[in-house]
């Protein structure tokens, strides 16, 4: 199981981009709107939560009425200021300043048919830290690619069969892969026998000092019934050389988000209070997963929460030692993506990952 048998691998621009229908709607002119179904997932700020005065605005959009989006953005309260997403599919603004009190973020999407139904998120600024509060570390503490760059586009991904699983597996990965929505997603493909697991991993930075992490990504399964476990992990090597395992997996066996703890100098899985079963995920659908955890001292890991498709769930008592002496280089930061096959005989899994990021502070 896990990832122990490997070594570490070292308004003029708007006018030109969008149709007239977008411009007339954006700047307040009245146009007919069809009764379109919206498909916007708001990751932050989650409606009904509190946030600091610096808000992380993040949302995912796949258009409406079966049409792909041509534009995506947001405005706050009654302001005429409008912020475009980084793509027509994604908004990712890590430090949106806002005054104290109650506010509404209006998420707006357009297709070639016009505007989709607006999705609103109501929250209170000036309260305690929450999913709506962006991590706000000093820039010097952020490793390369944290929070803003896509790890799925990195060229140094490696992979192998996980010797801790039974059976066999063979994997591959392709970027960019053509998917039903994105052309810049990474494909993770594997064949397996007897519940074999394949592990993909990326060394993406060096920082032994950061203690808090949010792993954020979109995941797409063609046939989720083939997936016994989906594992999403972070590793950090401290200054003294301890490898800290921030391990989580969505398990069809326990039907929970499991977390890793170390006992007897080996890692083990423990079920949590948060339900999850990858086999029950909707097929051919993008699912948004965010996982937060932090380290206390040298190797004690606290698993904080999971946000799945906009629903946030808090871990209860998911705390424990999670460090090993593996001889890895101090400061290394790694991310792991692993799939275990569900069939006792054989099968294959096709999955895609889009916009995988790790925020740290």
């Amino acid at each position: 199981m896990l990832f122990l048998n490997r070594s570490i691998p070292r308004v003029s621009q708007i006018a030109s981009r969008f149709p007239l229908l977008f411009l007339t709607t954006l700047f307040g002119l009245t146009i007919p709107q069809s009764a379109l179904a919206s498909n916007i997932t708001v990751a932050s700020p989650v409606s009904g939560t509190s946030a600091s005065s610096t808000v992380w605005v993040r949302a995912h959009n796949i258009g409406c009425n079966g049409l792909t989006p041509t534009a995506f953005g947001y405005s706050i309260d009654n302001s005429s200021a409008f912020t475009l997403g980084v793509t027509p599919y994604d908004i990712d603004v890590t430090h949106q300043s806002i005054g104290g009190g109650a506010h509404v973020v209006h998420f707006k999407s357009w297709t070639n048919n016009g505007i989709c139904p607006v999705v609103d998120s109501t929250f209170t600024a000036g309260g305690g830290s929450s999913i709506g509060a962006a991590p706000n570390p000093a820039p010097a503490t952020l490793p390369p690619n944290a929070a803003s760059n896509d790890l799925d586009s990195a060229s140094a991904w490696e992979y192998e069969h996980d010797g801790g699983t039974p059976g066999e597996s063979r994997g591959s990965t392709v970027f960019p892969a053509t998917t039903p929505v994105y052309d810049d997603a990474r494909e993770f493909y594997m064949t397996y026998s007897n519940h074999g697991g394949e592990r993909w991993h990326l060394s993406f930075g060096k920082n032994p000092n950061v203690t808090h992490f949010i792993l954020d990504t979109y995941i797409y399964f063609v046939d989720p019934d083939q997936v016994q476990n989906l594992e999403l992990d972070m590793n950090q090597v401290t200054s003294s050389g301890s490898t800290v395992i921030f391990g989580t997996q969505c398990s069809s066996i326990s039907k929970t988000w499991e977390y890793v703890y170390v006992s007897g100098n080996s890692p083990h899985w423990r079920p949590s209070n948060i339900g999850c079963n990858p086999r029950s995920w909707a097929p051919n659908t993008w699912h948004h997963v965010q996982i937060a955890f932090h380290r206390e001292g040298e190797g004690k890991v606290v698993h904080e929460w999971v946000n799945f498709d906009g629903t946030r769930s808090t871990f209860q008592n998911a705390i424990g030692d999670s460090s090993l002496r593996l001889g890895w280089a101090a400061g290394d930061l790694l991310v792991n993506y692993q799939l275990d096959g569900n069939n006792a005989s054989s099968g294959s899994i096709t999955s895609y990952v889009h916009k995988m990021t790790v925020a740290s502070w």
Side-chain angles (χ1 to χ4, degrees):
M1 61 179 287
L2 290 172
F3 31 81
L4 305 183
N5 300 322
R6 66 165 178 82
S7 59
I8 300 175
R10 296 306 254 174
V11 227
S12 59
Q13 292 177 309
I14 295 178
S16 65
R17 290 177 58 192
F18 306 118
L20 179 61
L21 188 57
F22 167 82
L23 293 175
T24 55
T25 307
L26 175 60
F27 293 105
L29 300 181
T30 302
I31 61 169
Q33 294 189 32
S34 304
L36 306 178
S38 181
N39 204 333
I40 296 172
T41 300
V42 179
S44 177
V46 174
S47 196
T49 62
S50 296
S52 70
S53 59
T54 301
V55 181
W56 191 1
V57 181
R58 190 160 196 182
H60 176 56
N61 168 44
I62 60 173
C64 59
N65 202 34
L67 299 175
T68 58
T70 56
F72 188 32
Y74 71 93
S75 60
I76 299 176
D77 298 330
N78 296 319
S79 173
S80 60
F82 187 82
T83 302
L84 283 173
V86 291
T87 75
Y89 302 99
D90 294 294
I91 292 170
D92 186 9
V93 177
T94 58
H95 296 90
Q96 172 68 63
S97 296
I98 195 167
H103 297 279
V104 181
V105 179
H106 307 286
F107 292 93
K108 305 171 185 179
S109 170
W110 288 261
T111 71
N112 287 329
N113 257 10
I115 191 170
C116 299
V118 177
V119 172
D120 292 337
S121 183
T122 302
F123 68 102
T124 302
S129 177
S130 75
I131 179 61
N136 191 19
T141 68
L142 285 175
N145 298 323
S148 59
N149 294 340
D150 285 352
L151 297 182
D152 40 293
S153 65
S155 61
W157 282 93
E158 297 190 0
Y159 51 94
E160 65 276 316
H161 171 67
D162 186 339
T165 64
E168 297 180 349
S169 68
R170 291 182 179 274
S172 64
T173 185
V174 175
F175 181 89
T178 300
T179 72
V181 175
Y182 301 108
D183 286 330
D184 64 345
R186 177 171 290 278
E187 179 185 274
F188 294 99
Y189 175 79
M190 63 175 284
T191 59
Y192 69 90
S193 62
N194 188 25
H195 303 292
E198 189 76 10
R199 177 180 59 244
W200 294 265
H201 49 87
L202 173 72
S203 177
F204 67 91
K206 291 182 74 69
N207 194 324
N209 301 317
V210 290
T211 56
H212 290 68
F213 301 92
I214 297 176
L215 196 162
D216 189 328
T217 192
Y218 298 92
I219 299 173
Y220 181 110
F221 291 129
V222 174
D223 182 8
D225 196 52
Q226 290 281 339
V227 183
Q228 183 181 74
N229 299 307
L230 162 66
E231 186 175 329
L232 295 166
D233 306 309
M234 270 285 308
N235 300 132
Q236 179 191 33
V237 185
T238 64
S239 298
S240 66
S242 292
T243 297
V244 183
I245 304 169
F246 302 85
T248 56
Q249 71 174 3
C250 177
S251 171
S252 70
I253 300 172
S254 70
K255 295 179 175 55
T256 70
W257 279 103
E258 299 180 344
Y259 62 96
V260 167
Y261 69 98
V262 170
S263 177
N265 203 38
S266 63
H268 306 274
W269 289 110
R270 177 176 288 160
S272 77
N273 60 293
I274 304 175
C276 193
N277 181 358
R279 296 178 62 194
S280 68
W281 289 18
N284 301 313
T285 301
W286 285 101
H287 297 283
H288 192 184
V289 179
Q290 296 173 302
I291 305 171
F293 21 57
H294 70 269
R295 169 173 60 86
E296 295 182 351
E298 184 68 14
K300 182 180 179 181
V301 170
V302 179
H303 297 265
E304 298 181 31
W305 47 259
V306 173
N307 193 20
F308 181 74
D309 285 345
T311 299
R312 181 187 177 193
S313 301
T314 302
F315 284 104
Q316 295 178 3
N317 301 316
I319 303 170
D321 181 72
S322 190
S323 65
L324 291 168
R325 290 281 178 172
L326 302 177
W328 296 0
D332 273 318
L333 295 170
L334 299 99
V335 66
N336 303 272
Y337 177 81
Q338 179 167 327
L339 300 171
D340 298 341
N342 186 57
N343 291 337
S345 55
S346 63
S348 65
I349 301 174
T350 301
S351 71
Y352 300 95
V353 165
H354 170 72
K355 202 170 179 62
M356 178 182 282
T357 63
V358 175
S360 62
W361 65 100

